[in-house]
Amino acid sequence: MKIKYLGTGASEGIPSLFCKCPVCEDARKNKGRDIRSRNQVLIDERLLVDFPPDTFMHASLGELDLPSIHTCIVTHSHGDHLYPNDIWARKIAVSPVCPDEGTPLTFYATSVGYEKIKTVVEGNELDKEKRVGAVLIEAFRAFNAEGFDIMPVRADHSPNTDPVLFIIEKDGKAIFYGNDTGRLPSETVEYLKNCGKHFDVVSLDCTNGFNPGDKFHMNFKACVDTVEMMKEFGLCDDKTIYVVTHLCHNCGGNREELEKEAEKLGFIAAYDGMELEF
């Protein structure tokens, strides 16, 4: 399997639009890996996770062949993870040349996100042309998409977004994709304890970075504790790749400081465009 981190920032990205803190000013000056767009990953060039407003940028820069993508799974309905207004561009009048005609782009989302997508699609050309579809998913109810076995598990995030994390498996490989969330809810911990899986990649939210606070988003300590718990359950080991992402300009450190701390703790600090193959 291969996972590509298209965007690794939190809701405001780095640099934040109206901020002149040292992290944001360094990003404007240094560019490159200091720039973080909103969170999105692509797995095996087929399975898209989340649809932020920066999807346009990821596609425009050649990082994402969006016209060829047919499946997007959505963690939750916050605007930095689901920006449904851009879905309209898939209708024939806007994008007349779209490969694999007749195969829709299907979104798999929990209740709130599902309703947002339906609002954009239903009763217009997108609905009639069958270029976009939506499937309602629930925490702890597995489904298959694009040849991947996917289990949504409950996240500790804004409850009104119906948030989930994903366990994604294919061909004997498995990813735990864990953002946005604080420390894992008890029902998710119980599921993990008994699931008998082994993760090749564990990717965790680290929005709070060096700062205290692990509600709705993790910090470094919460990430370390989560990995230790997973190791106790036999879910991962020294061969597992550990990643922190969803990084914020207010996390208490700049890019270099984040990378050094992550490495010291056994993680890779993700950056936009980073690819892992395993």
Side-chain angles (χ1 to χ4, degrees):
M1 289 176 74
K2 181 168 70 174
I3 180 169
K4 184 171 186 176
Y5 286 80
L6 300 167
T8 58
S11 60
E12 64 272 58
I14 300 178
S16 182
L17 284 173
F18 302 105
C19 185
K20 292 180 73 68
C21 76
V23 173
C24 289
E25 289 293 82
D26 280 351
R28 293 185 180 99
K29 176 183 176 182
N30 299 335
K31 300 181 173 58
R33 292 186 183 181
D34 284 35
I35 301 287
R36 295 189 187 277
S37 58
R38 267 65 70 91
N39 216 260
Q40 186 177 44
V41 302
L42 181 65
I43 300 173
D44 282 354
E45 300 181 355
R46 291 158 49 199
L47 180 67
L48 193 64
V49 185
D50 285 339
F51 195 81
D54 292 333
T55 301
F56 171 84
M57 184 182 76
H58 299 156
S60 298
L61 294 177
E63 298 294 317
L64 170 65
D65 181 13
L66 191 58
S68 299
I69 300 297
H70 300 130
T71 305
C72 179
I73 59 177
V74 180
T75 56
H76 65 297
S77 63
H78 275 159
D80 58 317
H81 291 263
L82 177 60
Y83 186 71
N85 292 4
D86 278 349
I87 298 172
W88 70 275
R90 211 172 194 272
K91 65 183 182 180
I92 291 173
V94 179
S95 301
V97 182
C98 191
D100 300 327
E101 193 65 43
T103 304
L105 169 58
T106 301
F107 291 87
Y108 293 77
T110 55
S111 58
V112 184
Y114 175 76
E115 291 299 327
K116 285 188 174 183
I117 295 164
K118 282 180 60 181
T119 298
V120 172
V121 173
E122 287 187 343
N124 58 40
E125 294 97 326
L126 285 174
D127 197 3
K128 297 173 185 176
E129 296 164 0
K130 306 300 180 187
R131 277 197 168 189
V132 176
V135 176
L136 178 64
I137 62 173
E138 299 176 24
F140 305 109
R141 181 168 292 184
F143 63 96
N144 182 277
E146 286 283 348
F148 296 88
D149 294 316
I150 303 169
M151 172 62 83
V153 296
R154 183 63 61 199
D156 169 39
H157 199 57
S158 304
N160 61 358
T161 66
D162 198 5
V164 292
L165 315 173
F166 291 113
I167 296 170
I168 303 166
E169 300 178 89
K170 184 172 73 72
D171 298 335
K173 301 289 187 178
I175 299 169
F176 182 85
Y177 187 75
N179 61 276
D180 294 28
T181 189
R183 290 180 182 267
L184 302 182
S186 58
E187 56 190 320
T188 296
V189 171
E190 189 64 23
Y191 175 83
L192 291 174
K193 184 177 180 179
N194 297 296
C195 71
K197 299 183 185 298
H198 178 271
F199 298 129
D200 299 278
V201 172
V202 172
S203 184
L204 297 176
D205 182 299
C206 197
T207 308
N208 290 326
F210 296 94
N211 297 327
D214 51 23
K215 182 68 176 172
F216 290 179
H217 290 290
M218 293 195 200
N219 56 15
F220 275 119
K221 185 179 187 310
C223 289
V224 169
D225 291 347
T226 299
V227 166
E228 288 304 311
M229 177 188 68
M230 288 184 171
K231 287 181 176 178
E232 289 178 13
F233 295 163
L235 297 169
C236 49
D237 52 33
D238 291 341
K239 294 182 180 178
T240 302
I241 302 169
Y242 302 99
V243 180
V244 289
T245 187
H246 207 274
L247 301 165
C248 177
H249 67 118
N250 288 323
C251 70
N254 60 27
R255 177 184 61 80
E256 290 183 356
E257 290 166 336
L258 283 169
E259 290 176 347
K260 287 179 181 178
E261 183 68 10
E263 184 178 7
K264 183 177 77 174
L265 298 173
F267 292 89
I268 299 170
Y271 55 86
D272 287 19
M274 183 179 85
E275 293 187 34
L276 300 173
E277 193 160 359
F278 53 95

